[in-house]
Amino acid sequence: MSGVTLLVSVVGVFLAVAAIVAAVAAFAGSLVPRGTSLQWAGRSTGALVVVALAPFMAAALVCLALLTPGLISGCHCVEHGLHHPHLCPVHPALALPLTAPAFFFVVVWALFVAPRVASLLRDVAATVAWRREVVRMPRQRLAGTEFRLGECGAFGAVTVGLLRPVIVIDRRLAETLTSTELRAVVLHEERHARRRDPLTMLVLRSWEAICPWPGAQALTARWRTAAELDCDAHAARRLEDGTLVAAALLAVERFRSQATSCALPAATVAVSTSSDLELRVRALLDNTVPPARGVNDLVLAATVLLVLGVLMAFLPGEHTHHVVESALGLAFRVR
């Protein structure tokens, strides 16, 4: 049971820290005047992913500091005494005072997020099933990019697949577009595939499900808009004319307004979002979206977490370890 005691305690601490950081972030966000334009956020999809995953990253770092109080220092239980609970892999039984409150917190949290997680799992299952159908669709190649012609309905064009994204263009949409417009759509989706945007979207939606804090959906939507702008800019650079991409977006929007609805998995990334259409067209015509690095946004977030984790574990890990454990002991009146 000692291993279970440690696991439940760590999970409880993880969720508690994530909730606190999320609440602080939501409060700080409420202090920002409405209408304030955060230009950096609109230009950096990677930065948006880091911000969206900030509660998760903070909680992960705290748990790392608790479990590794200085990776080269070993166990500190004896040095710190027994005036507070310890989360130590060497002595997992010392986490016993946290087990009951942590278990209660984990159960309440699980019941709260269960409907969201179930909805996400249904979307993932539908995505996997739809991708199996996608790979059997007729293959086409344009501008050096492979895509499938199939049925996407009102979405028009999507990129689906986590590790091996597949581009799908609605057959009826392809028939209505000019050759240049079709090339612009394919190049746009090519950028989504290279960035692995479906994978990033799934990670962001997963975090929304297990940590539903105010503003999480808004950050994900903002990341999606920034991703669309980057993919538009990529297509404009390849075509050497942003007006051609803008014309393609308008053509896709006309198709979407006339097409019947089609319920595709939510983890897909569509080429056009009507609420962002004006912003995207204006950015293309004004050429205000600068070139961006083709690095997956999750890679940036993981790099930030890795660097902070190394600093946390090797430099201030022992101090953070002791402070957090002391705070836990104070909160639960452990003496």
Side-chain angles (χ1 to χ4, degrees):
M1 286 297 293
S2 58
V4 176
T5 295
L6 179 63
L7 177 63
V8 171
S9 299
V10 171
V11 173
V13 171
F14 176 88
L15 294 177
V17 172
I20 293 172
V21 174
V24 172
F27 175 74
S30 67
L31 300 179
V32 178
R34 292 185 180 276
T36 299
S37 177
L38 301 177
Q39 294 296 332
W40 65 270
R43 296 176 183 273
S44 175
T45 55
L48 281 170
V49 171
V50 172
V51 173
L53 298 180
F56 163 78
M57 297 174 73
L61 289 172
V62 168
C63 289
L64 176 64
L66 285 173
L67 294 174
T68 57
L71 291 179
I72 59 176
S73 301
C75 173
H76 283 226
C77 296
V78 177
E79 295 181 17
H80 288 176
L82 299 178
H83 64 282
H84 56 58
H86 290 267
L87 280 76
C88 173
V90 180
H91 305 102
L94 295 180
L96 187 61
L98 283 178
T99 304
F103 181 79
F104 175 78
F105 192 81
V106 170
V107 169
V108 171
W109 190 283
L111 292 176
F112 180 70
V113 303
R116 297 170 181 263
V117 173
S119 176
L120 177 62
L121 292 177
R122 286 194 297 268
D123 286 340
V124 172
T127 299
V128 172
W130 192 67
R131 190 185 183 283
R132 292 198 188 103
E133 299 179 9
V134 164
V135 296
R136 294 194 293 266
M137 295 178 180
R139 298 186 182 187
Q140 301 286 334
R141 198 169 188 85
L142 183 63
T145 301
E146 183 180 282
F147 64 96
R148 264 77 169 179
L149 284 177
E151 301 295 330
C152 298
F155 277 87
V158 294
T159 300
V160 63
L162 303 180
L163 300 179
R164 293 184 294 174
V166 178
I167 299 171
V168 186
I169 310 294
D170 188 88
R171 184 177 293 103
R172 290 166 297 176
L173 172 63
E175 293 172 353
T176 63
L177 296 177
T178 66
S179 59
T180 302
E181 290 171 345
L182 180 58
R183 187 182 179 196
V185 172
V186 171
L187 289 173
H188 175 100
E189 295 299 327
E190 175 198 33
R191 180 68 168 175
H192 278 309
R194 289 187 176 183
R195 287 164 43 99
R196 301 294 191 274
D197 280 340
L199 177 60
T200 304
M201 176 62 75
L202 178 61
V203 170
L204 291 175
R205 286 202 63 213
S206 299
W207 181 239
E208 287 180 18
I210 65 174
C211 186
W213 56 285
Q217 291 183 345
L219 272 173
T220 300
R222 195 178 184 94
W223 168 83
R224 185 163 183 160
T225 298
E228 296 291 347
L229 289 170
D230 179 64
C231 294
D232 290 341
H234 169 75
R237 289 192 295 272
R238 290 287 302 274
L239 294 176
E240 299 181 349
D241 190 347
T243 60
L244 298 178
V245 181
L249 290 180
L250 294 174
V252 172
E253 186 59 29
R254 284 194 299 269
F255 171 82
R256 293 180 70 248
S257 64
Q258 298 171 2
T260 56
S261 61
C262 180
L264 293 183
T268 57
V269 179
V271 67
S272 179
T273 306
S274 57
S275 60
D276 299 329
L277 182 62
E278 181 180 355
L279 172 65
R280 294 168 61 188
V281 170
R282 183 174 299 174
L284 286 166
L285 296 180
D286 296 341
N287 193 27
T288 57
V289 180
R293 297 182 300 273
V295 178
N296 177 261
D297 296 326
L298 293 179
V299 172
L300 176 60
T303 301
V304 172
L305 180 61
L306 177 62
V307 172
L308 293 177
V310 170
L311 294 176
M312 181 78 75
F314 281 99
L315 298 179
E318 179 181 350
H319 177 70
T320 305
H321 171 97
H322 183 64
V323 168
V324 174
E325 285 185 336
S326 298
L328 292 172
L330 181 63
F332 296 109
R333 300 182 182 280
V334 177
R335 294 289 185 268

